[in-house]
Amino acid sequence: MRTPLETRAAGTARGVPPKGPAQLLFWRLFIINGLLFAIGTLVLALSPATVSSPVLLTEVPVLLIGLALILAANAALVRASLAPLDALTTVMRRVGLLRRGGDRAIEAGNGDLGHLIRTFNEMLDRLEAENSASSALALAAQEGERQRISRELHDQIGQSLTVALLSLKRVVDRSPDDLREESLVAQEAVRASLEEVRQVAQRLRPGVLADLGLRSALNSLGSEFSRSSGIPVTWEVDDPLPELSGDVELVLYRIAQEALTNVARHAHATRVDFALTSTTKGLTLRILDDGQGGDLREGAGIRGMRERALLIGAELTIAARASEGTDVRLVVPGVETGS
């Protein structure tokens, strides 16, 4: 006996257009109701009960009981038949495209409902793949733009400020005593601006990551965070780390950078614990703070972290800690080795 899918495939092969989901659902309900009415008619025909014309008062309870039984059986059968739609609706409400291999509806239905659930799951797989591809292109363009701006800051603005700083040094050396103090103030202002430009360029394009590796880049990131925010950072990084591809190193660095930025802006923390460890589950990056946890609203920063995690097939979880603060955890299963 053919299944509904095989019947539709055979009909398509013969040039007969396949039935749509609405048509198949109609026939499902029609058959259920038709069987119930047929059984009810058969029971009425074989039973000793009779219906007079006009209906006698003694026959009314029998008719009402029969109608109630038919309606109850119809409700139970239709509810059981359409139960997979409730599960599908629940998955639709909580599904998200920023969690790779997330919720999927269980193919518990049969026939047309099973086909509907499979189609929904295939749609989620396709949307996740398309979202991951578009995110990869967007993040690659973003990194390229960051590198371009970083080079311009370093090569043009940085050099111009360096020239201005050297010129001010000569001015300070030649200034009379009554102008020397003002010249020194201007010199220090230019020096501070040059340092800020250098830090901005470093945040935009972490040259230390390419030059000295992930460990040194993370240490530099933590030191800069502590210096600018005044929040101490405790580091725990495995030695040695497994060999990583450039994409994995960049994602780890950017997620750590964004997590520390969120701590500085929103957490009001007094301490940050940072760990990068290699376990049987893969490489785990974990950042914990003792600041304000509670309900976490996912803005553009957290969304960017999730998109970056998807690029390397990693799992990112951000949750409020039981005591206080926030726990950011990134697990990279099957770490890619560099070529």
Side-chain angles (χ1 to χ4, degrees), residues 59-286:
E59 297 172 344
V60 171
V62 177
L63 294 177
L64 292 178
I65 292 173
L67 177 61
L69 290 175
I70 291 176
L71 292 177
N74 182 67
L77 290 175
V78 170
R79 183 176 181 84
S81 178
L82 301 182
L85 293 181
D86 291 335
L88 182 62
T89 303
T90 301
V91 173
M92 287 179 176
R93 288 196 180 103
R94 67 170 183 253
V95 73
L97 296 181
L98 294 181
R99 294 170 176 84
R100 184 182 297 275
D103 291 327
R104 291 293 183 271
I106 300 175
E107 297 180 18
N110 52 53
D112 50 311
L113 290 185
H115 177 64
L116 175 65
I117 293 173
R118 277 192 298 275
T119 303
F120 174 75
N121 290 337
E122 291 170 359
M123 179 194 69
L124 289 183
D125 293 337
R126 185 174 65 256
L127 289 177
E128 282 187 357
E130 292 175 356
N131 182 68
S132 179
S134 61
S135 296
L137 292 175
L139 292 174
Q142 185 184 77
E143 288 296 333
E145 187 67 11
R146 285 184 172 188
Q147 291 185 10
R148 184 188 67 80
I149 296 175
S150 177
R151 284 194 300 268
E152 290 185 359
L153 287 174
H154 181 271
D155 297 340
Q156 297 181 13
I157 300 179
Q159 290 181 3
S160 298
L161 288 175
T162 301
V163 172
L165 185 62
L166 294 175
S167 300
L168 280 172
K169 186 178 183 304
R170 290 194 296 268
V171 170
V172 169
D173 293 339
R174 300 175 181 177
S175 296
D177 294 338
D178 56 342
L179 295 178
R180 183 177 298 274
E181 184 176 352
E182 294 182 3
S183 300
L184 287 173
V185 171
Q187 183 182 17
E188 290 304 317
V190 173
R191 191 191 308 277
S193 299
L194 181 61
E195 179 63 20
E196 289 178 359
V197 168
R198 186 193 66 80
Q199 292 179 2
V200 170
Q202 184 178 358
R203 286 195 294 268
L204 288 173
R205 186 174 69 93
V208 65
L209 181 62
D211 298 336
L212 301 178
L214 181 61
R215 177 187 296 275
S216 297
L218 292 177
N219 285 331
S220 176
L221 179 64
S223 300
E224 181 183 347
F225 169 79
S226 297
R227 183 172 60 253
S228 60
S229 65
I231 303 174
V233 179
T234 302
W235 295 90
E236 179 187 349
V237 181
D238 277 358
D239 188 16
L241 288 172
E243 188 177 2
L244 305 173
S245 67
D247 290 339
V248 173
E249 287 189 345
L250 183 59
V251 168
L252 289 169
Y253 181 86
R254 289 301 188 197
I255 288 180
Q257 185 181 43
E258 183 62 33
L260 292 177
T261 300
N262 289 337
V263 171
R265 290 179 178 175
H266 311 296
H268 304 289
T270 60
R271 177 187 176 88
V272 175
D273 294 324
F274 180 100
L276 181 61
T277 56
S278 181
T279 64
T280 56
K281 295 182 179 180
L283 192 65
T284 301
L285 170 69
R286 194 175 185 187

